[in-house]
Amino acid sequence: HYLFTQDKEYLAEKAYPIMKEAAQFFTEYLVKNPNTGYLVSGPSISPENSFLTKDGVRASLCMGPTMDQQIVNDLFTNCISAAKVLGKDEKFRRKLFKMKSQLAPMQIGSDGRLMEWPEEFKEPEPGHRHISHLFGLYPGKQISFQKRRN
């Protein structure tokens, strides 16, 4: 169990209730993208960057930016694991597992980079340093050099 100290009392009384409430929020907040069928968050932003719309307007708000999707994926994964350790909330675990499989996946753009948004938008400042969409690498655990994870 990733970063679990084996303190089941702390997990049961402090950590899990917070994780469960956050996960419950996202089970209500996520919506199905009518174009892709995936569950996405939003409207939201990628906090360090902006993009150009098809009309050339600088924007930052969209549905399902990569960082959001990675955070929700990790939250659901950690909540499922914690509930298993505690031997509780089997119905809720199944719901999270199903929803997790419906989250929009990370995508690689035509230039070989991890896409920051659900569409391949042009950037107003190419080369601008930003890493929020790499949450899945660190502190998240969805991107690994060792093996591929879902």
Side-chain angles (χ1 to χ4, degrees):
H1 301 281
Y2 185 68
L3 294 180
F4 177 50
T5 64
Q6 305 304 312
D7 184 346
K8 288 186 182 181
E9 183 179 335
Y10 178 82
L11 181 64
E13 294 177 13
K14 302 281 186 191
Y16 179 68
I18 293 168
M19 290 190 314
K20 183 178 178 183
E21 282 189 36
Q24 285 172 321
F25 169 81
F26 280 107
T27 65
E28 299 296 324
Y29 181 69
L30 296 171
V31 296
K32 190 174 280 193
N33 180 323
N35 298 324
T36 65
Y38 289 119
L39 291 175
V40 295
S41 60
S44 188
I45 64 167
S46 189
E48 301 173 310
N49 204 0
S50 59
F51 58 88
L52 297 174
T53 66
K54 291 174 183 159
D55 300 331
V57 176
R58 191 174 185 148
S60 58
L61 199 61
C62 71
M63 296 298 289
T66 300
M67 183 181 185
D68 279 19
Q69 299 303 113
Q70 293 169 341
I71 290 170
V72 172
N73 188 307
D74 266 14
L75 172 63
F76 284 6
T77 299
N78 294 337
C79 198
I80 291 165
S81 294
K84 280 182 186 176
V85 166
L86 297 173
K88 61 192 303 183
D89 294 331
E90 185 175 336
K91 184 178 176 183
F92 186 59
R93 288 192 323 241
R94 284 194 307 269
K95 179 178 185 174
L96 293 181
F97 186 79
K98 181 179 180 185
M99 290 184 76
K100 183 180 159 192
S101 72
Q102 298 169 348
L103 290 172
M106 291 179 274
Q107 301 177 76
I108 303 299
S110 61
D111 62 1
R113 292 184 297 162
L114 179 64
M115 287 175 40
E116 194 162 353
W117 299 279
E119 296 178 50
E120 193 163 4
F121 296 116
K122 291 188 183 227
E123 295 185 29
E125 299 176 53
H128 172 72
R129 63 192 188 289
H130 57 281
I131 59 169
S132 20
H133 58 299
L134 297 177
F135 178 93
L137 173 64
Y138 185 82
K141 56 186 179 200
Q142 295 161 61
I143 301 171
S144 169
F145 293 111
Q146 287 78 32
K147 64 181 182 176
R148 185 175 182 169
R149 298 179 187 183
N150 293 334

mmCIF file of all heavy atoms in Angstrom, residues 51-89:
data_model
loop_
_atom_site.group_PDB
_atom_site.id
_atom_site.type_symbol
_atom_site.label_atom_id
_atom_site.label_comp_id
_atom_site.label_asym_id
_atom_site.label_seq_id
_atom_site.Cartn_x
_atom_site.Cartn_y
_atom_site.Cartn_z
ATOM 1 N N PHE A 51 -4.043 28.063 -23.172
ATOM 2 C CA PHE A 51 -4.014 27.533 -24.527
ATOM 3 C C PHE A 51 -4.746 28.496 -25.450
ATOM 4 O O PHE A 51 -5.402 29.432 -25.003
ATOM 5 C CB PHE A 51 -4.640 26.133 -24.587
ATOM 6 C CG PHE A 51 -6.063 26.072 -24.097
ATOM 7 C CD1 PHE A 51 -7.126 26.302 -24.961
ATOM 8 C CD2 PHE A 51 -6.357 25.769 -22.775
ATOM 9 C CE1 PHE A 51 -8.441 26.242 -24.526
ATOM 10 C CE2 PHE A 51 -7.661 25.710 -22.320
ATOM 11 C CZ PHE A 51 -8.711 25.946 -23.198
ATOM 12 N N LEU A 52 -4.623 28.239 -26.733
ATOM 13 C CA LEU A 52 -5.340 29.040 -27.722
ATOM 14 C C LEU A 52 -6.504 28.226 -28.256
ATOM 15 O O LEU A 52 -6.327 27.063 -28.655
ATOM 16 C CB LEU A 52 -4.404 29.435 -28.872
ATOM 17 C CG LEU A 52 -3.228 30.330 -28.490
ATOM 18 C CD1 LEU A 52 -2.304 30.537 -29.682
ATOM 19 C CD2 LEU A 52 -3.723 31.675 -27.972
ATOM 20 N N THR A 53 -7.686 28.831 -28.267
ATOM 21 C CA THR A 53 -8.849 28.162 -28.834
ATOM 22 C C THR A 53 -8.707 28.106 -30.350
ATOM 23 O O THR A 53 -7.810 28.729 -30.927
ATOM 24 C CB THR A 53 -10.153 28.892 -28.464
ATOM 25 O OG1 THR A 53 -10.142 30.180 -29.100
ATOM 26 C CG2 THR A 53 -10.299 29.043 -26.958
ATOM 27 N N LYS A 54 -9.616 27.409 -30.993
ATOM 28 C CA LYS A 54 -9.587 27.330 -32.460
ATOM 29 C C LYS A 54 -9.739 28.702 -33.098
ATOM 30 O O LYS A 54 -9.299 28.925 -34.215
ATOM 31 C CB LYS A 54 -10.670 26.377 -32.943
ATOM 32 C CG LYS A 54 -10.368 24.950 -32.566
ATOM 33 C CD LYS A 54 -11.491 24.004 -32.898
ATOM 34 C CE LYS A 54 -11.086 22.631 -32.394
ATOM 35 N NZ LYS A 54 -12.174 21.737 -32.200
ATOM 36 N N ASP A 55 -10.349 29.644 -32.355
ATOM 37 C CA ASP A 55 -10.510 31.022 -32.837
ATOM 38 C C ASP A 55 -9.316 31.904 -32.499
ATOM 39 O O ASP A 55 -9.334 33.100 -32.765
ATOM 40 C CB ASP A 55 -11.778 31.645 -32.241
ATOM 41 C CG ASP A 55 -13.036 30.883 -32.600
ATOM 42 O OD1 ASP A 55 -13.063 30.249 -33.674
ATOM 43 O OD2 ASP A 55 -13.991 30.923 -31.807
ATOM 44 N N GLY A 56 -8.282 31.336 -31.860
ATOM 45 C CA GLY A 56 -7.088 32.086 -31.510
ATOM 46 C C GLY A 56 -7.193 32.880 -30.222
ATOM 47 O O GLY A 56 -6.334 33.695 -29.921
ATOM 48 N N VAL A 57 -8.228 32.630 -29.427
ATOM 49 C CA VAL A 57 -8.417 33.324 -28.157
ATOM 50 C C VAL A 57 -7.645 32.577 -27.063
ATOM 51 O O VAL A 57 -7.709 31.355 -26.973
ATOM 52 C CB VAL A 57 -9.926 33.396 -27.793
ATOM 53 C CG1 VAL A 57 -10.131 34.031 -26.430
ATOM 54 C CG2 VAL A 57 -10.688 34.146 -28.864
ATOM 55 N N ARG A 58 -6.928 33.337 -26.241
ATOM 56 C CA ARG A 58 -6.196 32.735 -25.117
ATOM 57 C C ARG A 58 -7.208 32.329 -24.042
ATOM 58 O O ARG A 58 -8.043 33.131 -23.631
ATOM 59 C CB ARG A 58 -5.184 33.727 -24.561
ATOM 60 C CG ARG A 58 -4.227 33.095 -23.593
ATOM 61 C CD ARG A 58 -3.155 34.089 -23.198
ATOM 62 N NE ARG A 58 -2.179 33.435 -22.362
ATOM 63 C CZ ARG A 58 -0.909 33.743 -22.328
ATOM 64 N NH1 ARG A 58 -0.442 34.720 -23.080
ATOM 65 N NH2 ARG A 58 -0.085 33.099 -21.543
ATOM 66 N N ALA A 59 -7.115 31.076 -23.594
ATOM 67 C CA ALA A 59 -8.068 30.548 -22.616
ATOM 68 C C ALA A 59 -7.340 29.633 -21.643
ATOM 69 O O ALA A 59 -6.205 29.214 -21.883
ATOM 70 C CB ALA A 59 -9.168 29.787 -23.343
ATOM 71 N N SER A 60 -8.004 29.332 -20.547
ATOM 72 C CA SER A 60 -7.436 28.385 -19.589
ATOM 73 C C SER A 60 -8.486 27.423 -19.047
ATOM 74 O O SER A 60 -8.146 26.422 -18.444
ATOM 75 C CB SER A 60 -6.762 29.128 -18.434
ATOM 76 O OG SER A 60 -7.677 29.972 -17.789
ATOM 77 N N LEU A 61 -9.750 27.712 -19.249
ATOM 78 C CA LEU A 61 -10.843 26.914 -18.694
ATOM 79 C C LEU A 61 -11.288 25.855 -19.688
ATOM 80 O O LEU A 61 -11.522 26.159 -20.862
ATOM 81 C CB LEU A 61 -12.009 27.855 -18.371
ATOM 82 C CG LEU A 61 -13.065 27.380 -17.412
ATOM 83 C CD1 LEU A 61 -12.473 27.078 -16.049
ATOM 84 C CD2 LEU A 61 -14.141 28.456 -17.272
ATOM 85 N N CYS A 62 -11.394 24.620 -19.221
ATOM 86 C CA CYS A 62 -11.863 23.526 -20.082
ATOM 87 C C CYS A 62 -12.482 22.444 -19.197
ATOM 88 O O CYS A 62 -12.481 22.546 -17.981
ATOM 89 C CB CYS A 62 -10.716 22.958 -20.917
ATOM 90 S SG CYS A 62 -9.519 22.002 -19.974
ATOM 91 N N MET A 63 -12.952 21.411 -19.825
ATOM 92 C CA MET A 63 -13.466 20.245 -19.104
ATOM 93 C C MET A 63 -12.385 19.167 -19.117
ATOM 94 O O MET A 63 -11.870 18.817 -20.175
ATOM 95 C CB MET A 63 -14.741 19.725 -19.774
ATOM 96 C CG MET A 63 -15.904 20.695 -19.749
ATOM 97 S SD MET A 63 -16.468 21.123 -18.079
ATOM 98 C CE MET A 63 -17.224 19.583 -17.569
ATOM 99 N N GLY A 64 -12.041 18.671 -17.940
ATOM 100 C CA GLY A 64 -11.127 17.543 -17.822
ATOM 101 C C GLY A 64 -9.668 17.777 -18.110
ATOM 102 O O GLY A 64 -9.044 16.987 -18.821
ATOM 103 N N PRO A 65 -9.047 18.845 -17.538
ATOM 104 C CA PRO A 65 -7.602 18.975 -17.740
ATOM 105 C C PRO A 65 -6.881 17.759 -17.129
ATOM 106 O O PRO A 65 -7.359 17.151 -16.177
ATOM 107 C CB PRO A 65 -7.242 20.268 -17.002
ATOM 108 C CG PRO A 65 -8.341 20.494 -16.035
ATOM 109 C CD PRO A 65 -9.563 19.870 -16.624
ATOM 110 N N THR A 66 -5.758 17.426 -17.698
ATOM 111 C CA THR A 66 -5.031 16.218 -17.316
ATOM 112 C C THR A 66 -4.736 16.156 -15.823
ATOM 113 O O THR A 66 -4.911 15.105 -15.199
ATOM 114 C CB THR A 66 -3.732 16.113 -18.141
ATOM 115 O OG1 THR A 66 -4.095 16.048 -19.526
ATOM 116 C CG2 THR A 66 -2.918 14.894 -17.776
ATOM 117 N N MET A 67 -4.303 17.254 -15.235
ATOM 118 C CA MET A 67 -3.971 17.233 -13.807
ATOM 119 C C MET A 67 -5.181 16.818 -12.968
ATOM 120 O O MET A 67 -5.060 16.001 -12.054
ATOM 121 C CB MET A 67 -3.449 18.584 -13.343
ATOM 122 C CG MET A 67 -3.031 18.590 -11.889
ATOM 123 S SD MET A 67 -2.447 20.230 -11.418
ATOM 124 C CE MET A 67 -1.901 19.885 -9.757
ATOM 125 N N ASP A 68 -6.350 17.362 -13.269
ATOM 126 C CA ASP A 68 -7.559 16.979 -12.536
ATOM 127 C C ASP A 68 -7.812 15.479 -12.644
ATOM 128 O O ASP A 68 -8.117 14.810 -11.653
ATOM 129 C CB ASP A 68 -8.786 17.686 -13.108
ATOM 130 C CG ASP A 68 -8.974 19.101 -12.621
ATOM 131 O OD1 ASP A 68 -8.019 19.708 -12.121
ATOM 132 O OD2 ASP A 68 -10.110 19.608 -12.762
ATOM 133 N N GLN A 69 -7.716 14.967 -13.867
ATOM 134 C CA GLN A 69 -8.002 13.555 -14.098
ATOM 135 C C GLN A 69 -7.026 12.682 -13.315
ATOM 136 O O GLN A 69 -7.409 11.659 -12.746
ATOM 137 C CB GLN A 69 -7.937 13.239 -15.590
ATOM 138 C CG GLN A 69 -8.934 14.010 -16.444
ATOM 139 C CD GLN A 69 -10.374 13.816 -16.020
ATOM 140 O OE1 GLN A 69 -11.037 14.728 -15.548
ATOM 141 N NE2 GLN A 69 -10.885 12.613 -16.164
ATOM 142 N N GLN A 70 -5.767 13.091 -13.253
ATOM 143 C CA GLN A 70 -4.763 12.337 -12.512
ATOM 144 C C GLN A 70 -5.045 12.370 -11.014
ATOM 145 O O GLN A 70 -4.915 11.355 -10.327
ATOM 146 C CB GLN A 70 -3.367 12.894 -12.802
ATOM 147 C CG GLN A 70 -2.906 12.686 -14.220
ATOM 148 C CD GLN A 70 -1.642 13.473 -14.537
ATOM 149 O OE1 GLN A 70 -1.285 14.432 -13.860
ATOM 150 N NE2 GLN A 70 -0.961 13.062 -15.592
ATOM 151 N N ILE A 71 -5.421 13.529 -10.501
ATOM 152 C CA ILE A 71 -5.712 13.650 -9.069
ATOM 153 C C ILE A 71 -6.905 12.784 -8.694
ATOM 154 O O ILE A 71 -6.869 12.058 -7.696
ATOM 155 C CB ILE A 71 -5.946 15.126 -8.681
ATOM 156 C CG1 ILE A 71 -4.628 15.898 -8.749
ATOM 157 C CG2 ILE A 71 -6.576 15.236 -7.295
ATOM 158 C CD1 ILE A 71 -4.783 17.413 -8.612
ATOM 159 N N VAL A 72 -7.954 12.827 -9.487
ATOM 160 C CA VAL A 72 -9.149 12.023 -9.197
ATOM 161 C C VAL A 72 -8.817 10.537 -9.299
ATOM 162 O O VAL A 72 -9.234 9.738 -8.452
ATOM 163 C CB VAL A 72 -10.322 12.401 -10.130
ATOM 164 C CG1 VAL A 72 -11.488 11.440 -9.963
ATOM 165 C CG2 VAL A 72 -10.776 13.833 -9.860
ATOM 166 N N ASN A 73 -8.040 10.146 -10.298
ATOM 167 C CA ASN A 73 -7.644 8.752 -10.440
ATOM 168 C C ASN A 73 -6.890 8.276 -9.200
ATOM 169 O O ASN A 73 -7.188 7.214 -8.660
ATOM 170 C CB ASN A 73 -6.780 8.584 -11.696
ATOM 171 C CG ASN A 73 -6.484 7.150 -12.023
ATOM 172 O OD1 ASN A 73 -5.996 6.393 -11.199
ATOM 173 N ND2 ASN A 73 -6.759 6.769 -13.256
ATOM 174 N N ASP A 74 -5.927 9.060 -8.745
ATOM 175 C CA ASP A 74 -5.180 8.689 -7.537
ATOM 176 C C ASP A 74 -6.080 8.659 -6.306
ATOM 177 O O ASP A 74 -5.970 7.757 -5.472
ATOM 178 C CB ASP A 74 -4.016 9.656 -7.294
ATOM 179 C CG ASP A 74 -2.707 9.162 -7.883
ATOM 180 O OD1 ASP A 74 -2.720 8.221 -8.701
ATOM 181 O OD2 ASP A 74 -1.665 9.719 -7.512
ATOM 182 N N LEU A 75 -6.964 9.632 -6.179
ATOM 183 C CA LEU A 75 -7.884 9.653 -5.036
ATOM 184 C C LEU A 75 -8.733 8.386 -5.017
ATOM 185 O O LEU A 75 -8.851 7.726 -3.972
ATOM 186 C CB LEU A 75 -8.780 10.890 -5.088
ATOM 187 C CG LEU A 75 -9.905 10.931 -4.050
ATOM 188 C CD1 LEU A 75 -9.347 10.977 -2.628
ATOM 189 C CD2 LEU A 75 -10.821 12.126 -4.316
ATOM 190 N N PHE A 76 -9.322 8.030 -6.148
ATOM 191 C CA PHE A 76 -10.150 6.829 -6.208
ATOM 192 C C PHE A 76 -9.322 5.585 -5.889
ATOM 193 O O PHE A 76 -9.752 4.726 -5.120
ATOM 194 C CB PHE A 76 -10.803 6.690 -7.581
ATOM 195 C CG PHE A 76 -11.980 7.606 -7.820
ATOM 196 C CD1 PHE A 76 -12.360 8.584 -6.913
ATOM 197 C CD2 PHE A 76 -12.715 7.504 -8.989
ATOM 198 C CE1 PHE A 76 -13.444 9.428 -7.150
ATOM 199 C CE2 PHE A 76 -13.806 8.324 -9.238
ATOM 200 C CZ PHE A 76 -14.174 9.292 -8.325
ATOM 201 N N THR A 77 -8.128 5.493 -6.445
ATOM 202 C CA THR A 77 -7.244 4.345 -6.196
ATOM 203 C C THR A 77 -6.914 4.237 -4.710
ATOM 204 O O THR A 77 -7.001 3.154 -4.117
ATOM 205 C CB THR A 77 -5.943 4.477 -7.013
ATOM 206 O OG1 THR A 77 -6.277 4.500 -8.402
ATOM 207 C CG2 THR A 77 -4.975 3.346 -6.731
ATOM 208 N N ASN A 78 -6.531 5.349 -4.104
ATOM 209 C CA ASN A 78 -6.152 5.339 -2.687
ATOM 210 C C ASN A 78 -7.348 5.051 -1.781
ATOM 211 O O ASN A 78 -7.213 4.363 -0.772
ATOM 212 C CB ASN A 78 -5.497 6.660 -2.308
ATOM 213 C CG ASN A 78 -4.174 6.866 -3.012
ATOM 214 O OD1 ASN A 78 -3.528 5.917 -3.441
ATOM 215 N ND2 ASN A 78 -3.769 8.113 -3.166
ATOM 216 N N CYS A 79 -8.507 5.570 -2.145
ATOM 217 C CA CYS A 79 -9.712 5.339 -1.356
ATOM 218 C C CYS A 79 -10.112 3.860 -1.426
ATOM 219 O O CYS A 79 -10.481 3.261 -0.407
ATOM 220 C CB CYS A 79 -10.839 6.245 -1.865
ATOM 221 S SG CYS A 79 -12.186 6.445 -0.696
ATOM 222 N N ILE A 80 -10.031 3.272 -2.602
ATOM 223 C CA ILE A 80 -10.332 1.847 -2.762
ATOM 224 C C ILE A 80 -9.375 1.017 -1.913
ATOM 225 O O ILE A 80 -9.795 0.115 -1.181
ATOM 226 C CB ILE A 80 -10.234 1.431 -4.254
ATOM 227 C CG1 ILE A 80 -11.372 2.061 -5.066
ATOM 228 C CG2 ILE A 80 -10.238 -0.095 -4.395
ATOM 229 C CD1 ILE A 80 -11.172 2.005 -6.580
ATOM 230 N N SER A 81 -8.087 1.331 -1.975
ATOM 231 C CA SER A 81 -7.078 0.590 -1.198
ATOM 232 C C SER A 81 -7.308 0.723 0.302
ATOM 233 O O SER A 81 -7.233 -0.257 1.035
ATOM 234 C CB SER A 81 -5.667 1.072 -1.538
ATOM 235 O OG SER A 81 -5.343 0.762 -2.858
ATOM 236 N N ALA A 82 -7.596 1.939 0.747
ATOM 237 C CA ALA A 82 -7.825 2.164 2.178
ATOM 238 C C ALA A 82 -9.062 1.407 2.656
ATOM 239 O O ALA A 82 -9.046 0.795 3.730
ATOM 240 C CB ALA A 82 -7.967 3.654 2.460
ATOM 241 N N ALA A 83 -10.119 1.429 1.883
ATOM 242 C CA ALA A 83 -11.342 0.718 2.262
ATOM 243 C C ALA A 83 -11.090 -0.791 2.325
ATOM 244 O O ALA A 83 -11.625 -1.478 3.202
ATOM 245 C CB ALA A 83 -12.467 1.044 1.287
ATOM 246 N N LYS A 84 -10.259 -1.297 1.414
ATOM 247 C CA LYS A 84 -9.909 -2.726 1.449
ATOM 248 C C LYS A 84 -9.144 -3.055 2.720
ATOM 249 O O LYS A 84 -9.420 -4.056 3.380
ATOM 250 C CB LYS A 84 -9.060 -3.106 0.238
ATOM 251 C CG LYS A 84 -9.842 -3.321 -1.022
ATOM 252 C CD LYS A 84 -8.894 -3.743 -2.150
ATOM 253 C CE LYS A 84 -9.613 -3.832 -3.471
ATOM 254 N NZ LYS A 84 -8.685 -4.149 -4.572
ATOM 255 N N VAL A 85 -8.166 -2.218 3.064
ATOM 256 C CA VAL A 85 -7.374 -2.439 4.283
ATOM 257 C C VAL A 85 -8.289 -2.458 5.501
ATOM 258 O O VAL A 85 -8.114 -3.275 6.414
ATOM 259 C CB VAL A 85 -6.280 -1.353 4.440
ATOM 260 C CG1 VAL A 85 -5.690 -1.360 5.835
ATOM 261 C CG2 VAL A 85 -5.190 -1.544 3.398
ATOM 262 N N LEU A 86 -9.283 -1.582 5.494
ATOM 263 C CA LEU A 86 -10.205 -1.487 6.630
ATOM 264 C C LEU A 86 -11.342 -2.500 6.546
ATOM 265 O O LEU A 86 -12.111 -2.642 7.502
ATOM 266 C CB LEU A 86 -10.774 -0.067 6.720
ATOM 267 C CG LEU A 86 -9.747 1.033 6.987
ATOM 268 C CD1 LEU A 86 -10.399 2.401 6.871
ATOM 269 C CD2 LEU A 86 -9.102 0.849 8.362
ATOM 270 N N GLY A 87 -11.463 -3.176 5.422
ATOM 271 C CA GLY A 87 -12.521 -4.166 5.256
ATOM 272 C C GLY A 87 -13.905 -3.563 5.277
ATOM 273 O O GLY A 87 -14.822 -4.111 5.887
ATOM 274 N N LYS A 88 -14.079 -2.420 4.598
ATOM 275 C CA LYS A 88 -15.380 -1.754 4.639
ATOM 276 C C LYS A 88 -15.736 -1.144 3.293
ATOM 277 O O LYS A 88 -14.915 -1.084 2.392
ATOM 278 C CB LYS A 88 -15.395 -0.684 5.731
ATOM 279 C CG LYS A 88 -14.384 0.424 5.536
ATOM 280 C CD LYS A 88 -14.182 1.329 6.746
ATOM 281 C CE LYS A 88 -15.434 1.983 7.214
ATOM 282 N NZ LYS A 88 -15.259 2.906 8.328
ATOM 283 N N ASP A 89 -16.982 -0.724 3.188
ATOM 284 C CA ASP A 89 -17.496 0.032 2.045
ATOM 285 C C ASP A 89 -17.305 -0.681 0.702
ATOM 286 O O ASP A 89 -16.934 -0.068 -0.292
ATOM 287 C CB ASP A 89 -16.862 1.430 1.978
ATOM 288 C CG ASP A 89 -17.265 2.301 3.145
ATOM 289 O OD1 ASP A 89 -18.378 2.111 3.680
ATOM 290 O OD2 ASP A 89 -16.472 3.177 3.524
#
